[in-house]
Amino acid sequence: MNRGHRHGAGSGCLGTMEVKSKFGAEFRRFSLERSKPGRFEEFYGLLQHVHKIPNVDVLVGYADVHGDLLPINNDDNYHKAVSTANPLLRIFIQKKEEADYSAFGTDTLIKKKNVLTNVLRPDNHRKKPHIVISMPQDFRPVSSIIDVDILPETHRRVRLYKYGTEKPLGFYIRDGSSVRVTPHGLEKVPGIFISRLVPGGLAQSTGLLAVNDEVLEVNGIEVSGKSLDQVTDMMIANSRNLIITVRPANQRNNVVRNSRASGSSGQSTDNSLLGCPQPMEPSFEPEDEDSDEDDVVIEDNGVPQQIPKAVPEAESLESLTQIELSFESGQNGLIPSRGLSLAPTAGGTDSEFETRAPDQKLLEEDGTIITL
Amino acid sequence: MMKFRFRRQGADPQREKLKQELFAFNKTVEHGFPNQPSALAFDPELRIMAIGTRSGAVKIYGAPGVEFTGLHRDAATVTQMHFLPGQGRLLTLLDDSSLHLWEIVHHNGCAHLEEALSFQLPSRPGFDGASTPSSLTRVTVVLLLAAGDIAALGTEGGSIYFLDVTTLALLERQTLSPDEILRSVPDDYRCGKALGPVESLQGHLRDPTKILIGYSRGLLVIWNQAAQCVDHVFLGNQQLESLCWGRNSGTIISSHSDGSYAIWPMNTGSSPTLQPSVATVPYGPFPCKAINKILWRNCESGGHFIIFSGGMPRASYGDRHCVSVLRAETLVTLDFTSRIIDFFTVHSTRPEDEFDDPQALAVLLEEELVVLDLQTPGWPSVPAPYLAPLHSSAITCSAHVANVPAKLWARIVSAGEQQSPQPISSASNWPITGGRNLAQEPSQRGLLLTGHEDGTVRFWDASGVALRPLYKLSTAGLFQTDCEHADSLAQAAEDDWPPFRKVGCFDPYSDDPRLGVQKVALCKYTAQMVVAGTAGQVLVLELNDVPTEQAVSVASVDLLQDREGFTWKGHERLSPRAGPLPWPAGFQPRVLVQCLPPAAVTAVTLHAEWSLVAFGTSHGFGLFDYQRKSPVLARCTLHPNDSLAMEGPLSRVKSLKKSLRQSFRRIRKSRVSGKKRIANANSKLQEANAQLAEQACPHDIEMTPVQRRIEPRSADDSLSGVVRCLYFADTFLRDAHHGPTMWAGTNSGSVFAYALEVPAAVAGGEKRPERAVEAVLGKEVQLMHRAPVVAIAVLDGRGRPLPEPYEASRDLAQAPDMQGGHAVLIASEEQFKVFTLPKVSAKTKFKLTAHEGCRVRKVALATFASVACEDYAETCLACLTNLGDVHVFSVPGLRPQVHYSCIRKEDISGIASCVFTRHGQGFYLISPSEFERFSLSARNITEPLCSLDISWPRDATRARVQESPKLSQANGNPSIILAPQNCDRSPDLTHKGADTPEPPEATLSPMSIDSATSADTTLDTTGDVTVEDVKDFLGSSEESERNLRNLTEDEAHTCTILIK
């Protein structure tokens, strides 16, 4: 097959399509049958073969008619690429480890470096790399509303996933006072409020938290009676997987539970949807539960070495993430008391604990509160 | 929610019972010197001494171990204290004009101090607030009469009230007003002037009916209480400070505000004495400060002591704190380093004795207590067995060593004895010996080490209630400091007169801040210790019983490890003295390691068995082999982005610059505003703009409320490289074989574990062969939450902490389980975690901050013994948080056991100073000079247990207390009648003054009768206060107006009213 392609290269006839593939500084040219492009896996194998990189994980991209660099990672976009190639299909291959994800997207090939963007928003530019477009397993949740079924409608429980992102949480809290209904009538009680959102921060970008929202709980622990400093410490201690229950200052956007015809109780909804395929879930579950447990342990063989985390380059961060993940998966079974200190926001019972993640998933799919 | 349910499962009754047998929280005793003392009293019969403080605390001390502590309900300054001799009762006067009676009572054979009665002195009513001058009745002096049954209260108004001490009730109709005295005074002395406040009241030892009264203006009066008449008058004209009555009635000595004292002869003639027989200004002729207190004591061997405080020449020595002791021709000016509060002599007080024969002089100073032996020639000072000024130089760190072997203990004690300049015999001369210490001899010796700012380390006997100084180690002698010449010059320049003698050890001034001790560690089996300081100096010392002269080898370790781009802007390192130096017996330095850059040492640990010392600073850590005197390892922990760490302690310069700039601005602004009047409109506008611009920034900051940023810790936070803890352990790090390891934890949650190759000691030999020690990095753990690592400890196979070096090999501890299954406990500021070894994987954890919102400040592994079962004990993790709470967790399960609130969370220095002992006790500083001792263990409690032989009918007061409500309502509590008419506050104050609140109706009837009589009564039976009250009611009285003038200064007291 390979030979056949090479043979047809340069013929320029209507049935074949010229492919120019670039990997590093090397080019390879070959042609493909336009009518029978085959599957993406075959194409991927072909590219590995022609570049003589059989065991290297790579990202494949192509330049579309507008000059945008778009990824090829499944049959659909592979076929799209083949069908739009006219006449030349320009392929760009990057090693997965050193992939520059920011290269993908609109206008990326035309304006290779948007200087302004780089200067003005360096973080924004840097954090992009972790999202590989069109690869579902590389998506990660940023925030979610959870436990809608067990909370009063006036409250909102928001989960912020700080894990792995360079984006700051980006909010501030302050002391304040709120009015409560008590047995002695209305009483003014001290409370903790969100005082400021940092533009571009995680909190602001989710849209789930707003200035003057009252913080009621942090990871399942009520903040009433605690000082601002204590609440700050609690939030920072939980910052990798922060679950804040707030009473939003703006009560107009509350989730109205009755709107969901079936399963107003979380339990039944969970059960009904348990069978649904949840391809993302397994890879996220450990981090969701215990993301701050991923202490990095580096076995050393005598050569003094810097802690990888301390090196700010994207490359090492990426590799670190891998270390953490593998470590985590190795350790999960060894933590005997996970339920004890984990998942404080889950519903009332053990079984709910097990099913909570799907529940979340459900809510996201439901469309009420999805943020990615 | 779920975790709460999980936690509740642990609450099974058996465990709860066990917890009660293991844990109990008690604050047991305060060690050290009371902070801000304000009053002193001595009971010559019981030989106990009381010290009152500005915060209202009362402490009574007797023989070592005999201590009583009490605290007034109101945190007011204790201004005076008087023992009721032999009764174990103490009358205190606070600056809010309340009197309190304290009693030492016995419960279950042990004595305790309790407040029995209190009495709010009647003072000015506050009914027409602004116009009325406040109190007429501020008490200036108190004198106990007639064996302590009656107290005479001298007031600022010049009146003297009499009080029944046992009930704290005023004795009506005995009040002695100045008018009555004035009648016995010649007209030309009177000349329309008031006598002023009562400055002194003195009783006569042999004739209890006579009272010597001294008024501020200078008039001295001998008042016969029995006959209610004036016996004699001395017409002094110099403003009076204090008085003392000679034992055999022959003389009166008075001291005055101009620095003079006068001796008045006692002749029994009825005519007033006009002149003293002697009047002298001891430190004249130039103007002198007042002599605040003077004592006259005669001796059997002839002559007499005159002891007085103050009186120094104003210009040349006005700032000195001096007590002068004069006997015949001998004058010694005791020169103290802090303010004199009060002093007393210990002398015979039996009336039948002919002479006072003072044995000792005790001087209470602001910062220490000094006792001089007046019977030994030269009047040497007596070392105090307690009340040691812990803060003679500021405490910078502390450490506790438990179970000190008897051998080391004896060696330290003997080193301390050689060091102390006093002969040992004078230790037995401690004059305050009252009471019996009932506490058992401590089962084990505990040593408290305190490091100080001046480079000294003090060793204290912390085994019992009295914290006794044992030995002082000074490291300053090793280094060259610039201050030495200045010192010797200053001494040479001093004149012979006055004959100053430096006394006391309180010396808050440090020669060089770099000498300050930051960390201390002691190996109790080898008597080796390491002292690390502010300029990166790490000193390894060894106890030697004989003085030697030897050179100290010096090494330096570069902790930056060629890290580029950093410049140290802090202090220079200390330069050690070259050549052999003489060292007294005691701990003598062997090796000095200097860290580069010379930042303060933040962690240190010693392993005497391996001859290794590890030390860390804000830049990294190092490992040094002090046997071969060679560095083993240096590791930089700095984060590349952390610039702050490099600048050193002088980064304050910036803020100084800033504040300078601001103050310049302020000056400029004030100048501008000064010119304002002549400025035209245009410049006014400019000015306004300029001010706006200046204020804009701070204004914004003020407007925004206090807010806190919520962000996870990042790797490049400042000071992330600070090494917080270091630890040696023989454990499994690399594989299935255990061996020496070293652990280091940093501020950013990194833990480095090194496997060490320490050449094994030859069997039987103490020293290991001369081969190099090697360190190989075995593990790096980065805690994901990045909180500072506070402590690291390795647990053996049974979950117990590994013993200290030599502890097991000398059969002093159970050998650890070295079969494997070791685990490492890593305590960070946010959570505790146990990891398995050698494969580091998380086993158990407790996330304290996530649960409680508090951060870990101090942790220690401690053994808690059960009170119920003799040999049952558990090892637990004790932890102090930033909120001042103490938590105890099981190990290795890390389950919360108990928690107590221990320190106020605002008391940051208290929290920072806390140190735990190995047996569940702890110490923290409650003031710069006092350690509070607390106990978490139900069994191991060190508290004062003592008894006192008290000779008074103990039930008497109780019985009288029962009766007292009537009396107190009639006297102490009359304001209640006025409550409806005047201010709202009086009901509250009423309750404060009274022991038992009673219904207002009860008070109304007797009071109104009394007040009616007082309105038209004669001056003979009522005091000026009453007169003043009447004046306020009726608005006319010449007498009261005159009294009023004397008292206009006092505005503090506006509460209750006296009506008789």
Side-chain angles (χ1 to χ4, degrees):
Chain A
M1 183 179 167
N2 187 18
R3 203 161 294 232
H5 283 303
R6 200 165 279 176
H7 179 71
S11 66
C13 69
L14 219 70
T16 60
M17 170 191 65
E18 194 175 340
V19 180
K20 180 183 171 187
S21 167
K22 184 180 180 222
F23 174 70
E26 287 182 48
F27 289 98
R28 294 281 187 278
R29 284 170 177 275
F30 54 91
S31 59
L32 276 180
E33 197 80 18
R34 197 185 285 271
S35 53
K36 286 189 284 181
R39 298 173 56 79
F40 167 68
E41 281 76 23
E42 297 168 34
F43 181 66
Y44 188 75
L46 174 67
L47 288 175
Q48 283 186 326
H49 182 81
V50 299
H51 285 283
K52 301 199 165 52
I53 44 170
N55 294 318
V56 181
D57 279 344
V58 294
L59 286 180
V60 183
Y62 75 103
D64 80 344
V65 286
H66 308 293
D68 294 344
L69 179 65
L70 297 178
I72 304 179
N73 45 26
N74 55 30
D75 288 354
D76 290 340
N77 52 22
Y78 172 53
H79 292 151
K80 178 75 176 166
V82 169
S83 63
T84 55
N86 190 21
L88 182 72
L89 177 62
R90 290 196 289 157
I91 298 286
F92 297 86
I93 300 172
Q94 293 173 294
K95 269 192 190 167
K96 215 167 198 170
E97 300 91 75
E98 15 186 86
D100 177 15
Y101 297 93
S102 64
F104 291 107
T106 314
D107 291 347
T108 40
L109 284 185
I110 299 165
K111 300 177 189 172
K112 270 213 164 157
K113 292 281 176 203
N114 186 337
V115 182
L116 249 182
T117 319
N118 281 344
V119 172
L120 290 181
R121 305 186 55 186
D123 319 70
N124 206 20
H125 191 248
R126 240 199 349 241
K127 63 147 215 263
K128 270 184 181 167
H130 299 274
I131 305 156
V132 184
I133 293 175
S134 299
M135 285 194 172
Q137 66 268 31
D138 287 342
F139 277 101
R140 43 175 194 82
V142 175
S143 65
S144 54
I145 293 185
I146 57 175
D147 296 340
V148 179
D149 47 342
I150 55 167
L151 283 177
E153 284 175 12
T154 53
H155 295 182
R156 182 187 294 165
R157 188 166 286 170
V158 178
R159 182 174 200 164
L160 297 175
Y161 303 80
K162 174 72 181 92
Y163 188 72
T165 167
E166 286 300 297
K167 203 180 220 176
L169 280 172
F171 69 99
Y172 290 71
I173 56 171
R174 63 168 169 89
D175 277 317
S177 61
S178 73
V179 178
R180 290 272 163 77
V181 184
T182 65
H184 321 289
L186 288 181
E187 238 174 49
K188 236 181 176 187
V189 292
I192 304 288
F193 294 84
I194 292 176
S195 64
R196 193 180 144 206
L197 297 179
V198 178
L202 195 58
Q204 194 223 30
S205 65
T206 66
L208 300 179
L209 298 173
V211 172
N212 294 332
D213 286 1
E214 186 185 357
V215 178
L216 302 171
E217 287 178 11
V218 175
N219 287 49
I221 297 183
E222 282 194 34
V223 304
S224 68
K226 293 204 156 62
S227 71
L228 183 64
D229 287 330
Q230 277 178 280
V231 177
T232 307
D233 286 338
M234 285 165 69
M235 287 191 174
I236 289 175
N238 288 304
S239 58
R240 310 251 151 202
N241 176 30
L242 183 60
I243 299 163
I244 319 177
T245 310
V246 293
R247 189 210 316 270
N250 176 0
Q251 291 281 339
R252 278 173 295 178
N253 297 334
N254 292 341
V255 178
V256 183
R257 250 180 272 154
N258 305 353
S259 67
R260 283 168 55 183
S262 72
S264 57
S265 102
Q267 198 65 48
S268 62
T269 328
D270 293 343
N271 296 343
S272 69
L273 281 157
L274 262 181
C276 292
Q278 305 288 346
M280 289 163 62
E281 225 40 59
S283 66
F284 284 108
E285 186 64 24
E287 309 155 26
D288 288 352
E289 287 321 316
D290 212 359
S291 58
D292 61 340
E293 296 312 306
D294 312 337
D295 306 321
V296 185
V297 179
I298 298 164
E299 308 274 333
D300 221 298
N301 31 16
V303 191
Q305 166 188 336
Q306 191 62 35
I307 313 166
K309 195 74 177 181
V311 187
E313 279 88 38
E315 177 189 339
S316 69
L317 281 176
E318 181 68 15
S319 62
L320 187 73
T321 315
Q322 286 173 355
I323 294 173
E324 287 158 9
L325 283 172
S326 61
F327 168 73
E328 184 55 51
S329 57
Q331 291 319 311
N332 270 340
L334 292 177
I335 303 170
S337 57
R338 282 181 66 201
L340 182 103
S341 61
L342 310 181
T345 59
T349 66
D350 250 348
S351 64
E352 245 175 9
F353 170 54
E354 295 301 328
T355 56
R356 188 176 45 75
D359 180 29
Q360 246 172 271
K361 191 68 212 135
L362 159 91
L363 289 168
E364 286 171 14
E365 285 169 2
D366 216 8
T368 32
I369 24 141
I370 197 168
T371 317
L372 291 173
Chain B
M1 278 155 251
M2 215 163 24
K3 72 174 142 271
F4 295 140
R5 206 156 33 79
F6 269 82
R7 241 195 277 171
R8 229 175 280 134
Q9 280 182 352
D12 70 294
Q14 242 182 337
R15 181 66 200 162
E16 290 303 309
K17 184 167 172 287
L18 191 56
K19 274 191 207 171
Q20 282 177 8
E21 290 165 6
L22 291 173
F23 312 113
F25 182 72
N26 289 294
K27 287 187 184 178
T28 52
V29 59
E30 287 157 17
H31 295 304
F33 185 77
N35 191 35
Q36 295 191 307
S38 57
L40 178 69
F42 180 64
D43 181 347
E45 283 186 34
L46 293 177
R47 293 182 96 80
I48 53 177
M49 170 183 68
I51 295 176
T53 73
R54 277 196 229 170
S55 54
V58 177
K59 298 184 161 210
I60 298 179
Y61 300 91
V66 177
E67 273 188 51
F68 306 96
T69 303
L71 186 66
H72 288 94
R73 273 189 296 268
D74 304 311
T77 300
V78 180
T79 54
Q80 292 190 37
M81 296 195 297
H82 298 272
F83 273 109
L84 280 61
Q87 300 185 8
R89 290 195 283 178
L90 179 73
L91 189 65
T92 61
L93 172 69
L94 305 190
D95 68 349
D96 62 359
S97 272
S98 61
L99 283 164
H100 302 260
L101 183 67
W102 295 80
E103 289 179 357
I104 293 171
V105 288
H106 286 77
H107 292 309
N108 310 326
C110 285
H112 302 273
L113 183 65
E114 288 176 2
E115 188 175 340
L117 290 171
S118 71
F119 170 61
Q120 179 73 43
L121 208 74
S123 56
R124 278 295 308 152
F127 49 82
D128 53 351
S131 65
T132 342
S134 50
S135 163
L136 284 177
T137 55
R138 211 178 87 101
V139 176
T140 50
V141 283
V142 176
L143 171 70
L144 290 171
L145 295 169
D149 282 345
I150 294 172
L153 313 177
T155 66
E156 208 151 50
S159 299
I160 296 161
Y161 295 89
F162 293 92
L163 190 76
D164 181 2
V165 171
T166 46
T167 57
L168 284 191
L170 273 188
L171 295 169
E172 292 151 62
R173 304 183 198 285
Q174 284 196 17
T175 306
L176 182 62
S177 79
D179 309 295
E180 198 170 337
I181 301 294
L182 274 173
R183 273 195 250 126
S184 320
V185 171
D187 282 347
D188 57 336
Y189 185 85
R190 232 184 293 176
C191 60
K193 282 194 281 181
L195 293 176
V198 180
E199 281 295 337
S200 185
L201 283 175
Q202 297 292 323
H204 197 273
L205 192 64
R206 291 177 170 174
D207 188 354
T209 60
K210 285 183 182 171
I211 309 172
L212 175 62
I213 307 166
Y215 292 95
S216 177
R217 191 177 142 191
L219 181 71
L220 315 183
V221 174
I222 296 175
W223 171 258
N224 193 321
Q225 176 71 2
Q228 292 283 312
C229 67
V230 173
D231 267 10
H232 199 83
V233 176
F234 304 84
L235 299 177
N237 273 311
Q238 194 54 251
Q239 197 182 331
L240 187 74
E241 291 286 330
S242 85
L243 282 176
C244 186
W245 205 332
R247 173 177 281 263
N248 36 21
S249 316
T251 42
I252 291 167
I253 188 162
S254 64
S255 76
H256 302 279
S257 64
D258 64 345
S260 66
Y261 66 82
I263 298 169
W264 304 80
M266 282 275 287
N267 42 2
T268 45
S270 61
S271 62
T273 308
L274 298 172
Q275 287 294 324
S277 60
V278 181
T280 172
V281 183
Y283 293 102
F286 298 112
C288 292
K289 299 187 87 173
I291 294 179
N292 308 101
K293 180 174 177 176
I294 194 160
L295 293 179
W296 168 288
R297 301 283 179 246
N298 62 358
C299 304
E300 195 169 5
S301 50
H304 53 259
F305 279 97
I306 293 176
I307 301 167
F308 60 90
S309 65
M312 301 309 291
R314 194 173 284 277
S316 36
Y317 300 110
D319 55 343
R320 301 284 184 107
H321 311 286
C322 294
V323 169
S324 304
V325 183
L326 177 66
R327 188 185 177 193
E329 294 306 300
T330 320
L331 171 69
V332 170
T333 311
L334 304 170
D335 185 9
F336 298 103
T337 50
S338 58
R339 203 164 58 85
I340 293 149
I341 306 296
D342 201 355
F343 58 92
F344 64 83
T345 57
V346 179
H347 60 274
S348 159
T349 51
R350 279 177 301 174
E352 62 270 23
D353 282 356
E354 191 70 24
F355 298 100
D356 293 316
D357 275 331
Q359 300 162 23
L361 168 68
V363 186
L364 177 68
L365 304 156
E366 183 104 61
E367 310 288 358
E368 61 186 318
L369 180 82
V370 174
V371 174
L372 296 186
D373 181 357
L374 293 181
Q375 288 180 325
T376 307
W379 305 329
S381 55
V382 183
Y386 47 78
L387 279 173
L390 291 169
H391 61 321
S392 51
S393 169
I395 294 177
T396 44
C397 67
S398 41
H400 184 266
V401 184
N403 287 334
V404 178
K407 193 177 153 204
L408 174 65
W409 190 267
R411 291 177 72 194
I412 292 175
V413 168
S414 96
E417 277 165 1
Q418 290 182 45
Q419 187 175 50
S420 107
Q422 282 89 22
I424 304 149
S425 64
S426 65
S428 58
N429 290 351
W430 182 250
I432 301 155
T433 53
R436 279 194 319 275
N437 184 5
L438 303 178
Q440 293 170 341
E441 191 66 11
S443 54
Q444 51 105 353
R445 298 285 180 188
L447 197 59
L448 183 68
L449 310 180
T450 54
H452 297 262
E453 206 176 23
D454 62 354
T456 57
V457 178
R458 281 156 217 255
F459 290 60
W460 307 91
D461 174 2
S463 325
V465 166
L467 191 71
R468 194 162 57 97
L470 290 179
Y471 167 72
K472 180 176 118 179
L473 159 69
S474 176
T475 62
L478 183 61
F479 302 103
Q480 291 172 354
T481 50
D482 357 305
C483 309
E484 286 143 19
H485 308 288
D487 246 7
S488 54
L489 276 176
Q491 277 187 348
E494 215 157 69
D495 292 334
D496 292 347
W497 177 261
F500 283 122
R501 187 175 129 196
K502 292 256 179 216
V503 190
C505 62
F506 177 72
D507 176 18
Y509 307 106
S510 166
D511 292 347
D512 189 331
R514 294 177 295 170
L515 292 171
V517 176
Q518 295 291 329
K519 295 286 163 189
V520 179
L522 170 73
C523 172
K524 59 190 178 190
Y525 303 107
T526 56
Q528 291 174 349
M529 74 180 291
V530 54
V531 176
T534 309
Q537 73 270 31
V538 179
L539 203 52
V540 180
L541 307 105
E542 195 166 16
L543 185 60
N544 193 341
D545 299 325
V546 290
T548 56
E549 186 157 327
Q550 65 182 39
V552 176
S553 56
V554 181
S556 64
V557 174
D558 180 14
L559 295 178
L560 275 187
Q561 294 285 291
D562 309 325
R563 197 68 78 80
E564 303 236 327
F566 291 121
T567 44
W568 170 253
K569 294 177 192 157
H571 46 234
E572 298 273 298
R573 70 167 142 170
L574 286 161
S575 46
R577 282 174 211 264
L581 295 167
W583 299 105
F587 282 91
Q588 297 172 350
R590 281 178 61 183
V591 181
L592 169 68
V593 184
Q594 292 187 295
C595 300
L596 288 177
V601 175
T602 53
V604 82
T605 185
L606 174 77
H607 200 295
E609 203 167 352
W610 303 335
S611 295
L612 291 175
V613 59
F615 43 89
T617 70
S618 49
H619 304 103
F621 55 89
L623 181 63
F624 194 87
D625 174 358
Y626 61 82
Q627 185 181 318
R628 298 185 72 237
K629 298 182 173 58
S630 70
V632 178
L633 168 78
R635 165 79 193 240
C636 181
T637 53
L638 274 186
H639 187 269
N641 296 354
D642 183 7
S643 56
L644 202 66
M646 289 315 300
E647 291 184 353
L650 287 184
S651 59
R652 261 180 299 168
V653 170
K654 264 186 207 158
S655 62
L656 178 67
K657 227 188 257 173
K658 202 174 157 193
S659 71
L660 273 178
R661 203 182 300 138
Q662 273 167 356
S663 56
F664 274 126
R665 270 187 197 160
R666 219 173 298 132
I667 292 165
R668 206 191 308 142
K669 207 158 86 182
S670 64
R671 271 193 206 140
V672 167
S673 55
K675 280 185 226 153
K676 210 181 254 174
R677 270 166 244 131
I678 53 160
N680 60 25
N682 191 24
S683 73
K684 263 184 194 164
L685 187 70
Q686 285 177 358
E687 204 177 280
N689 280 336
Q691 284 196 3
L692 251 177
E694 245 170 51
Q695 285 170 1
C697 218
H699 192 65
D700 275 348
I701 292 163
E702 280 161 17
M703 285 305 288
T704 50
V706 183
Q707 54 178 7
R708 297 277 182 275
R709 186 162 170 259
I710 308 298
E711 239 19 277
R713 290 184 174 84
S714 85
D716 44 344
D717 278 351
S718 60
L719 300 174
S720 60
V722 178
V723 176
R724 291 290 296 269
C725 57
L726 290 159
Y727 179 70
F728 285 116
D730 183 359
T731 188
F732 303 84
L733 186 63
R734 285 188 289 190
D735 43 35
H737 301 286
H738 66 88
T741 61
M742 184 194 75
W743 300 73
T746 75
N747 229 13
S748 61
S750 299
V751 176
F752 304 91
Y754 285 83
L756 307 178
E757 288 292 337
V758 183
V762 189
E766 278 291 292
K767 300 241 167 171
R768 57 181 168 77
E770 294 288 312
R771 262 196 296 129
V773 176
E774 281 169 34
V776 180
L777 183 62
K779 294 276 193 320
E780 276 185 40
V781 180
Q782 173 62 57
L783 300 175
M784 223 42 196
H785 58 283
R786 294 191 178 278
V789 179
V790 180
I792 300 170
V794 170
L795 310 172
D796 72 359
R798 292 183 291 260
R800 299 212 186 114
L802 294 183
E804 285 172 43
Y806 284 119
E807 204 174 17
S809 60
R810 300 199 176 173
D811 288 335
L812 293 154
Q814 198 184 4
D817 177 2
M818 299 306 277
Q819 301 304 309
H822 280 205
V824 61
L825 167 66
I826 297 179
S828 79
E829 277 194 6
E830 287 188 355
Q831 47 180 272
F832 310 112
K833 260 178 137 164
V834 173
F835 295 90
T836 59
L837 286 176
K839 179 161 170 33
V840 178
S841 60
K843 212 165 119 189
T844 52
K845 66 175 177 293
F846 185 80
K847 298 208 259 177
L848 184 72
T849 307
H851 285 150
E852 313 279 341
C854 53
R855 283 199 304 268
V856 179
R857 284 282 175 266
K858 304 272 170 178
V859 291
L861 287 164
T863 312
F864 291 87
S866 163
V867 275
C869 176
E870 196 60 35
D871 50 1
Y872 181 77
E874 280 186 21
T875 299
C876 292
L877 181 72
C879 150
L880 177 77
T881 72
N882 65 332
L883 304 179
D885 297 341
V886 177
H887 297 247
V888 178
F889 297 89
S890 65
V891 168
L894 297 181
R895 297 211 165 234
Q897 301 296 305
V898 284
H899 65 97
Y900 310 99
S901 74
C902 177
I903 311 176
R904 284 181 310 117
K905 71 175 174 193
E906 295 82 17
D907 185 6
I908 292 164
S909 62
I911 293 172
S913 64
C914 177
V915 53
F916 288 106
T917 76
R918 286 278 300 276
H919 298 93
Q921 295 197 15
F923 302 88
Y924 68 91
L925 287 174
I926 47 174
S927 71
S929 57
E930 283 168 292
F931 272 115
E932 174 83 60
R933 188 184 193 119
F934 64 90
S935 171
L936 297 168
S937 164
R939 181 148 126 200
N940 189 19
I941 299 172
T942 305
E943 62 184 342
L945 292 175
C946 44
S947 73
L948 204 58
D949 293 323
I950 299 167
S951 58
W952 58 282
R954 190 144 48 82
D955 295 337
T957 305
R958 296 259 169 260
R960 272 173 226 156
V961 170
Q962 301 304 317
E963 303 162 8
S964 68
K966 204 171 77 198
L967 285 165
S968 74
Q969 83 198 23
N971 300 291
N973 197 14
S975 71
I976 200 151
I977 191 172
L978 292 170
Q981 307 172 18
N982 48 54
C983 67
D984 303 342
R985 282 176 299 165
S986 33
D988 293 0
L989 296 159
T990 303
H991 291 284
K992 205 198 289 176
D995 283 306
T996 44
E998 55 280 318
E1001 304 85 46
T1003 39
L1004 272 170
S1005 49
M1007 305 274 289
S1008 40
I1009 293 162
D1010 274 358
S1011 67
T1013 55
S1014 76
D1016 57 354
T1017 194
T1018 60
L1019 290 171
D1020 291 321
T1021 49
T1022 54
D1024 53 337
V1025 179
T1026 313
V1027 173
E1028 174 58 16
D1029 284 335
V1030 174
K1031 184 226 158 197
D1032 271 307
F1033 285 124
L1034 306 178
S1036 68
S1037 169
E1038 254 183 65
E1039 293 287 346
S1040 63
E1041 247 176 52
R1042 202 168 71 187
N1043 287 319
L1044 212 143
R1045 253 179 299 150
N1046 298 333
L1047 295 145
T1048 41
E1049 324 128 49
D1050 192 321
E1051 296 170 5
H1053 309 284
T1054 55
C1055 26
T1056 49
I1057 306 168
L1058 173 74
I1059 301 157
K1060 299 199 169 178

